[in-house]
Amino acid sequence: MASATSSTVDDRPAGARVHLPDTARDLVKILVTGPFGVGKTTLIRSVSEIRPLHTEELLTEASAQVDDLAGAREKSTTTVAIDFGRISLPGGIVLYLFGTPGQERFRPLWDDIAYGALGALVLVDARRVDASFDVLGLVEESGLPYVVAFNTFPDGPRHHTPGQLRAALDLEPSTPMVTCDAREADSSVDALLALVQHLLDHHPAEPR
């Protein structure tokens, strides 16, 4: 059966940044995680200053038996290893973004991908909050500080209050919660900045 190329690199203009800027001071590994179809690949693609790496395969009839497409019917591919991108932030902070697969069957990869990370941005789809429970459990077990970002979808609910969403995910009061549109670079950067601020609040001497 035909499949997408396992490792692909997005097309970017020839002048896209490759080398680290001279102002780079703090290099930080960040996880971008969340359930299947929540927008991890899209977010990394929208903000990366280098050509992002994606390891995707086409969804097949076999995967349909284990991948819940509810709320993600338009999705045709899935990450099978990692997504990778990089973004430089003000103050000399450079984030290396590692997107994780969202399905339970890729759980053995989690420890390897999470090794050395300082924090995680957990994307959540408000249309299927329960799909995020397993991923949140992994993040909490790892002890990584994290921020929850509700990715907005055109057909997503508009009537849930922040308090209701926080209660549905059973989040600690100290866990930041934001909304973003993974398709929009500025919105995605704002979510990443919220995570960086959360890391600085918890570890004032880091990131390094």
Side-chain angles (χ1 to χ4, degrees), residues 44 48 50-53 83-87 95-98:
I44 291 174
S48 183
I50 61 173
R51 292 179 177 179
L53 169 70
D83 294 315
F84 176 76
R86 189 188 79 202
I87 179 173
L95 303 184
Y96 289 96
L97 307 175
F98 287 76

Side-chain angles (χ1 to χ4, degrees), residues 75-196:
K75 189 168 176 60
S76 61
T77 61
T78 183
T79 299
V80 296
I82 62 168
D83 294 315
F84 176 76
R86 189 188 79 202
I87 179 173
S88 299
L89 299 177
I93 297 175
V94 178
L95 303 184
Y96 289 96
L97 307 175
F98 287 76
T100 69
Q103 297 96 310
E104 176 65 23
R105 68 180 182 277
F106 294 113
R107 183 172 182 146
L109 289 173
W110 175 264
D111 289 340
D112 291 335
I113 298 175
Y115 181 79
L118 290 189
L121 183 69
V122 182
L123 290 180
V124 175
D125 183 347
R127 302 171 300 177
R128 46 194 184 100
V129 172
D130 57 340
S132 301
F133 294 160
D134 288 341
V135 173
L136 280 170
L138 283 174
V139 175
E140 291 176 352
E141 288 172 17
S142 72
L144 288 175
Y146 67 94
V147 167
V148 169
F150 282 91
N151 189 17
T152 58
F153 289 86
D155 58 343
R158 299 287 186 268
H159 57 279
H160 293 327
T161 67
Q164 289 171 330
L165 293 172
R166 182 177 290 275
L169 292 174
D170 194 25
L171 298 180
E172 295 290 338
S174 59
T175 301
M177 192 178 72
V178 299
T179 60
C180 74
D181 185 336
R183 301 165 299 177
E184 300 293 333
D186 289 345
S187 181
S188 298
V189 168
D190 285 344
L192 291 168
L193 286 172
L195 174 59
V196 170

